[in-house]
Amino acid sequence: MRNFRLDDESGHQEALFSWAAYQQGRMPELEYLHHVPNGGKRDKATATALKRQGVKSGVPDIVLPAVRAGYHGLYIELKAGKNTTTDNQKRWLEYLRQQGYYTAVCYNWQAAAELIETYLLRTAELGEAGQIWGKE
């Protein structure tokens, strides 16, 4: 894997997706792992256009549409450093959990990778949805 700037969430996402590319031989479902580009800084015109196109604030960053352990799929809100979830992100995570998805907040790419591996390969170790992974 190449080096990534790990001082923000985008670097952690890049590292996670690089890890996922290497792991597809063990976990073919990772081909369908994807990022929902709802965050980030944009100019006002772009933000307005994206909102009209259906972008919604608070939707979790990462989605894995693979059924495991009675869950319809996995949603991850990825954080870095001291960032915390907003009220809107918490609302989305709770709604998705109630709809039968495994949801979690991961505080670095390694925690997200560990969760994904556990979700796909060791479901008995998952624990309850709505967990926080990797918080220091």
Side-chain angles (χ1 to χ4, degrees):
M1 273 181 27
R2 72 179 193 79
N3 290 328
F4 297 94
R5 288 189 56 168
L6 297 179
D7 56 348
D8 67 6
E9 289 175 21
S10 64
H12 280 271
Q13 281 197 198
E14 287 183 42
L16 177 65
F17 279 86
S18 179
W19 168 86
Y22 282 105
Q23 298 298 321
Q24 279 189 35
R26 281 184 7 165
M27 297 173 274
E29 299 89 345
L30 291 177
E31 176 182 352
Y32 301 99
L33 182 72
H34 62 278
H35 163 62
V36 177
N38 281 342
K41 294 186 167 111
R42 299 182 173 98
D43 62 75
K44 189 172 182 172
T46 302
T48 300
L50 289 173
K51 189 172 184 178
R52 284 194 312 258
Q53 294 168 27
V55 168
K56 295 194 184 271
S57 173
V59 175
D61 300 307
I62 299 166
V63 181
L64 179 61
V67 173
R68 290 290 186 286
Y71 295 103
H72 301 308
L74 172 64
Y75 278 86
I76 297 172
E77 179 59 40
L78 186 61
K79 296 293 179 189
K82 297 187 185 296
N83 288 348
T84 60
T85 50
T86 66
D87 288 342
N88 204 23
Q89 288 169 334
K90 290 175 188 174
R91 187 175 62 82
W92 269 96
L93 289 165
E94 178 59 19
Y95 172 78
L96 291 164
R97 187 191 64 74
Q98 290 175 1
Q99 296 304 310
Y101 293 93
Y102 192 92
T103 63
V105 177
C106 295
Y107 275 87
N108 55 58
W109 79 266
Q110 298 96 329
E114 180 183 348
L115 168 57
I116 291 166
E117 190 170 301
T118 301
Y119 181 82
L120 290 175
L121 302 177
R122 301 186 312 275
T123 56
E125 299 173 23
L126 265 180
E128 294 285 320
Q131 298 291 318
I132 295 174
W133 291 64
K135 186 148 184 173
E136 300 160 357

